[in-house]
Amino acid sequence: MTATIIPDLPVFVVIAPLFVAFVLPTFARRMRLVEALVILVGILGFLGALYLASLVFAQKGSPLIYSLGGWQAPWGIELKAGNLGALFLLVVTGVSLPVSLFAKGNLAQEVGGKERSARFYVLYLLLGGALAGMAVTNDLFNVFVLVEVVTLSCCGLVSARNHPRAAEAAFKYLIMATLGSTLVMGGIGFIYMITGHLNMEFAARELASIWQHSPHVVWMALSFILVGFGVKAAVFPLHVWLPDAHSTAPSPASAILSGLAVKGYLICLLKFLYNVFGSALMQEFAVDRILVLAGAVAIIAGSILALSQDELKRRLAYSTVAQVGYIVLGLGLLNRQGLAGTLFYLASHAVIKSTLFLAAGAIIAATGKKKVSELSGIGRKMPLTMAAFTIGSLGLIGLPLFSGFVGKWYLLLGSIETGKPLPTVVVIAGSILCATYLLPVIRRAYFEPAPDTTNADWQDPQDPGFSQKLALILLAAIVVLLGVVPGPLLELAKRAAAELLLLQ
Amino acid sequence: MKDFILKRMAAIILPFICVYGFYVILHGHVSPGGSFAGGIIVGLSLIAYSTIYGIAKGRAKLPEKVLVWTESYGTLWYGLMGMVGIVKGVPFLANKLAGVNLGNPGTLSSGGLISLIGFGVGIRVASTMVTLFFTMMEE
Amino acid sequence: MKELFGKLIMNYPYFAAAILFMIGALTVLTRSDLLKKLIGINIMESAIFLIFVAGGNIRGGVAPLLSKANSGAVYVNPLPSALMLTGIVVSVSVTAFALALIVRLHRAYGTIDLQRIAELRSEVAMDDSNHHT
């Protein structure tokens, strides 16, 4: 049995969540079964991703290639699990498993009813499957389809709560995201028109030899794809939909949206830029400088916007805008250290932001308070939740021994290597700004007295139930673990960076 | 009595439209159309039934549960057909490689598993269209 | 000059697509009516479909159906059309979902104008804060 499954692993990690999602509506009433299936798929997916990563790790460079239907590359659709794919698969499965554990706790209260939470899980699994697909796909049009699946399930997750504000945020998100995916589809159309291929490798080979004949079409394709994914990944001036969508969604959904969905789009952008256009073409068309500039602006502006938010989840949502800036900046550094740092940072931010959103969700569920200014003394009432929040915050700021540090360190090395002052200064300034908007939350939670407990609308808040605690502990442990022993994941990121930059 | 002609005509035409839809679904690989277009035709025949004979009657024929089941298992059918390849030790969605006999070109059997896969997709598309229609009408 | 115009006229589908795209983008970005925004999105998507299909077309080509009658003829590229079928399916689902959201918003606010909704929402928020204090 195992002998037949292992060669098919790249396709299984994608289709297993999708097909479970498709049959889930038929037993929507039996909540226990639904939750058990979701968690089972999560565990199997994580084990599959781990095994795949270990295979890729052992093979040193040569990726696992899977041709759907047995049709070889230029004709058929190809899945490719290389270093990059294995890394992102690990991130997707590793984050979505704890999040589904957390959702098991109080999802029904948050979305209003069992029927609705079954629908939530359907969308959740679709999202997970599509993100796993983004990690392994090697086909341009497949990217578009997966992007659309991610977009639609994200919009569904945002509108999961039965509240008009959720519907409004989802609509705004849907319109902006569809605008983005239309642009992406246009970009793919231009690439297909001049290269005649949809397979990334073949398109890249063709593009490298013919781009000089039609530079304008390449310009169009590049700008369509940059703006399209820019809208979807919320790069600074195009981020307007993100704070509403991520702060009104139910907490598990916010975690997965901020932690993974945005990263999925960034991985797709990275695949387009490095696997299709290639780093030489990026330099030729000044894309690297555009990315560094956009990233720098996003880091500063996102942090300043986050600073002015009083609502906790909104503050975290704006912080995502700033952190996306780091990744976009890293994509433009075009050197091995910087790109490896970017990939590691992407992974660590996925974990950290999920921790923060889940902790925030637990606090909001327990106290009913959404604002930072109302959270005085919460650290003593909910010690475990607040500890997870603190670990996440310190990781996001980038203190040593937390996962954010390793990513930022390599980003910094990469920035210094480019010899330009802007990225270096911004990476450091961003950390300081990050501390200014996250540390006040922690200070207020631990060092300010709790308000009078006799007050009627302040029930005594407590740490959440077992499965939610377990989720928070798992995620916080990953944050610390990646900071203390970054080894294998960092090695994977370094190899992926070398592969993307065509170095050996 | 006022919709007499409409109802009689629908009773004659709709079964044929429905069958034609299934024809288009199954012959996707040898003629224009395919599972999506055919599924839309099947779905539209059911929608036409519900608009002509009344939503309540349409709902009685196609309760939500049935639609959910066809929608879910139509897609699962696609997955199972894809798994044929994996069971035979060749890639997912394999057709000829999985040892399926591809008959004479131009005939129904020349697609191998394609018309079977298309059947699942078509059913799913049809039930999705009907679900959308009912959702919009009952809002 | 004449050659340039000739080229422009030969490539009319792309210009039609560009114009459609701009109409759609303008509608999405400037109208505050939710339905009009949705229609704008659909127009934009049609523009991209047109680009794809026009890119796969060959003048004088025939539909790629293998039969004895047109053996040896030039076939148009069927792949872009097939891809756009997927695109159309996606656009249908986006439209359906957006319509459902519009219905929900209309039920909650009684209007489908985004600005009006924002005004109503800020009034509600103010009422809420007054209520709490």
Side-chain angles (χ1 to χ4, degrees):
Chain A
M1 192 65 192
T2 46
T4 57
I5 281 181
I6 284 162
D8 297 310
L9 215 49
V11 76
F12 267 120
V13 286
V14 182
I15 60 168
L18 292 183
F19 284 114
V20 174
F22 290 137
V23 296
L24 223 49
T26 50
F27 37 84
R29 300 250 160 73
R30 299 165 71 185
M31 214 51 225
R32 281 278 171 80
L33 187 58
V34 170
E35 283 165 353
L37 262 178
V38 171
I39 288 171
L40 183 72
V41 168
I43 292 172
L44 286 180
F46 184 62
L47 291 179
L50 262 183
Y51 190 76
L52 207 59
S54 71
L55 278 185
V56 170
F57 209 74
Q59 283 190 348
K60 295 219 178 226
S62 64
L64 292 168
I65 288 186
Y66 190 87
S67 311
L68 282 174
W71 294 93
Q72 295 304 316
W75 297 284
I77 293 174
E78 203 180 57
L79 300 180
K80 181 177 154 194
N83 295 317
L84 179 69
L87 178 89
F88 192 59
L89 262 183
L90 272 181
V91 174
V92 170
T93 51
V95 172
S96 58
L97 178 63
V99 174
S100 58
L101 274 176
F102 187 91
K104 190 171 165 285
N106 71 337
L107 187 66
Q109 289 134 321
E110 206 160 0
V111 298
K114 276 186 186 175
E115 287 277 303
R116 295 181 75 92
S117 43
R119 279 183 230 163
F120 177 95
Y121 280 123
V122 173
L123 294 168
Y124 182 84
L125 285 179
L126 278 179
L127 180 58
L131 284 169
M134 280 178 170
V136 292
T137 182
N138 199 25
D139 184 273
L140 294 176
F141 203 75
N142 244 17
V143 170
F144 166 71
V145 174
L146 293 169
V147 159
E148 277 297 351
V149 175
V150 170
T151 305
L152 277 173
S153 39
C154 282
C155 291
L157 289 176
V158 171
S159 71
R161 264 162 64 178
N162 200 358
H163 191 281
R165 274 196 72 175
E168 195 194 335
F171 189 84
K172 231 194 239 176
Y173 183 16
L174 187 64
I175 291 294
M176 291 302 283
T178 312
L179 218 145
S181 45
T182 310
L183 288 173
V184 170
M185 182 162 63
I188 293 169
F190 287 124
I191 296 174
Y192 179 65
M193 251 189 256
I194 53 172
T195 65
H197 283 297
L198 285 172
N199 183 287
M200 284 189 185
E201 269 158 46
F202 284 81
R205 218 174 292 160
E206 197 72 17
L207 205 59
S209 61
I210 55 134
W211 69 269
Q212 277 146 328
H213 299 295
S214 43
H216 298 99
V217 184
V218 179
W219 258 123
M220 284 289 275
L222 257 176
S223 47
F224 267 49
I225 280 170
L226 274 181
V227 178
F229 280 119
V231 173
K232 290 185 149 288
V235 179
F236 169 61
L238 310 168
H239 71 281
V240 286
W241 56 268
L242 184 136
D244 279 345
H246 288 195
S247 62
T248 50
S251 304
S254 315
I256 215 90
L257 290 178
S258 250
L260 291 181
V262 167
K263 305 299 178 316
Y265 300 136
L266 286 169
I267 286 285
C268 287
L269 177 63
L270 187 148
K271 281 191 169 181
F272 269 100
L273 288 180
Y274 285 89
N275 283 351
V276 179
F277 291 104
S279 44
L281 220 60
M282 275 170 74
Q283 263 171 328
E284 188 69 40
F285 287 92
V287 178
D288 53 338
R289 275 162 280 167
I290 294 172
L291 287 173
V292 169
L293 197 64
V297 173
I299 293 172
I300 302 295
S303 304
I304 291 173
L305 284 169
L307 203 55
S308 62
Q309 303 299 322
D310 192 26
E311 215 177 290
L312 183 57
K313 274 175 99 175
R314 274 187 93 80
R315 188 176 282 200
L316 294 178
Y318 273 108
S319 144
T320 300
V321 176
Q323 307 302 320
V324 165
Y326 275 105
I327 296 164
V328 171
L329 183 141
L331 290 185
L333 289 179
L334 282 186
N335 56 47
R336 191 178 167 180
Q337 308 260 25
L339 200 57
T342 310
L343 290 173
F344 193 87
Y345 196 75
L346 187 144
S348 87
H349 179 247
V351 183
I352 292 172
K353 202 34 85 56
S354 313
T355 319
L356 289 176
F357 263 116
L358 291 184
I363 292 172
I364 290 167
T367 61
K369 310 274 189 202
K370 288 182 177 166
K371 294 190 172 157
V372 176
S373 52
E374 297 169 334
L375 294 179
S376 309
I378 199 77
R380 262 156 293 165
K381 303 272 183 193
M382 304 172 71
L384 194 136
T385 312
M386 208 53 217
F389 190 91
T390 312
I391 290 174
S393 307
L394 296 180
L396 201 60
I397 294 163
L399 289 190
L401 294 184
F402 294 98
S403 66
F405 172 75
V406 185
K408 271 188 186 163
W409 178 252
Y410 277 91
L411 267 177
L412 206 56
L413 288 180
S415 317
I416 293 168
E417 203 179 311
T418 58
K420 286 177 209 142
L422 177 75
T424 320
V425 172
V426 169
V427 167
I428 297 170
S431 287
I432 299 166
L433 279 169
C434 184
T436 53
Y437 64 75
L438 280 174
L439 289 183
V441 184
I442 298 168
R443 183 187 59 91
R444 197 173 273 280
Y446 281 118
F447 301 115
E448 272 184 28
D452 204 359
T453 40
T454 50
N455 194 334
D457 52 80
W458 177 270
Q459 327 103 322
D460 213 20
Q462 278 179 342
D463 272 332
F466 173 71
S467 62
Q468 286 167 304
K469 267 190 206 162
L470 185 65
L472 287 173
I473 292 171
L474 274 177
L475 283 170
I478 298 175
V479 174
V480 178
L481 193 72
L482 286 183
V484 182
V485 244
L489 199 67
L490 189 62
E491 183 58 33
L492 212 55
K494 277 182 181 168
R495 283 188 197 171
E499 196 181 276
L500 289 170
L501 289 165
L502 304 174
L503 306 168
Q504 278 317 316
Chain B
M1 207 55 187
K2 69 178 177 187
D3 297 333
F4 181 76
I5 297 174
L6 184 64
K7 282 183 179 168
R8 287 308 121 211
M9 287 308 286
I12 297 167
I13 292 172
L14 284 182
F16 288 103
I17 295 180
C18 201
V19 172
Y20 174 65
F22 279 107
Y23 172 83
V24 174
I25 289 174
L26 292 177
H27 288 75
H29 54 291
V30 286
S31 66
S35 46
F36 183 71
I40 297 270
I41 296 173
V42 174
L44 287 184
S45 73
L46 299 173
I47 291 175
Y49 177 84
S50 329
T51 41
I52 292 167
Y53 289 93
I55 301 288
K57 217 168 166 190
R59 220 5 164 185
K61 280 246 157 57
L62 294 162
E64 196 184 343
K65 203 169 176 190
V66 172
L67 289 175
V68 167
W69 274 73
T70 47
E71 220 172 302
S72 300
Y73 289 103
T75 328
L76 191 69
W77 177 249
Y78 182 109
L80 289 178
M81 287 296 114
M83 294 293 279
V84 169
I86 287 182
V87 170
K88 297 254 175 155
V90 286
F92 184 68
L93 282 177
N95 197 355
K96 194 181 177 183
L97 281 180
V100 179
N101 180 24
L102 305 184
N104 297 324
T107 58
L108 180 58
S109 64
S110 68
L113 292 176
I114 290 179
S115 40
L116 290 175
I117 286 180
F119 183 70
V121 177
I123 282 191
R124 170 156 198 152
V125 171
S127 50
T128 308
M129 293 315 285
V130 178
T131 313
L132 279 178
F133 170 76
F134 279 138
T135 320
M136 295 282 170
M137 293 313 286
E138 284 165 5
E139 275 293 336
Chain C
M1 200 64 189
K2 205 179 163 192
E3 194 191 7
L4 183 70
F5 272 112
K7 274 184 180 170
L8 288 181
I9 292 168
M10 278 296 278
N11 288 321
Y12 68 92
Y14 301 107
F15 288 93
I19 292 166
L20 270 180
F21 191 85
M22 284 187 261
I23 292 173
L26 200 67
T27 317
V28 175
L29 297 174
T30 57
R31 296 305 176 98
S32 72
D33 188 303
L34 298 180
L35 268 180
K36 284 184 182 155
K37 269 186 193 292
L38 186 58
I39 293 169
I41 283 282
N42 273 310
I43 294 174
M44 269 175 74
E45 280 177 336
S46 331
I48 302 291
F49 299 157
L50 184 56
I51 287 182
F52 255 93
V53 175
N57 187 36
I58 297 170
R59 254 165 245 272
V62 296
L65 284 171
L66 209 58
S67 73
K68 291 201 177 80
N70 59 9
S71 60
V74 177
Y75 296 125
V76 300
N77 187 354
L79 189 64
S81 314
L83 296 180
M84 282 313 99
L85 197 60
T86 315
I88 290 167
V89 175
V90 168
S91 120
V92 166
S93 31
V94 168
T95 311
F97 184 43
L99 284 175
L101 286 176
I102 291 176
V103 169
R104 254 174 83 180
L105 283 172
H106 185 262
R107 202 182 293 153
Y109 294 108
T111 172
I112 54 168
D113 189 295
L114 203 57
Q115 276 176 349
R116 185 85 192 98
I117 288 175
E119 284 165 24
L120 283 172
R121 185 153 50 79
S122 59
E123 279 166 28
V124 170
M126 271 162 81
D127 281 355
D128 271 3
S129 57
N130 287 342
H131 182 71
H132 278 298
T133 53

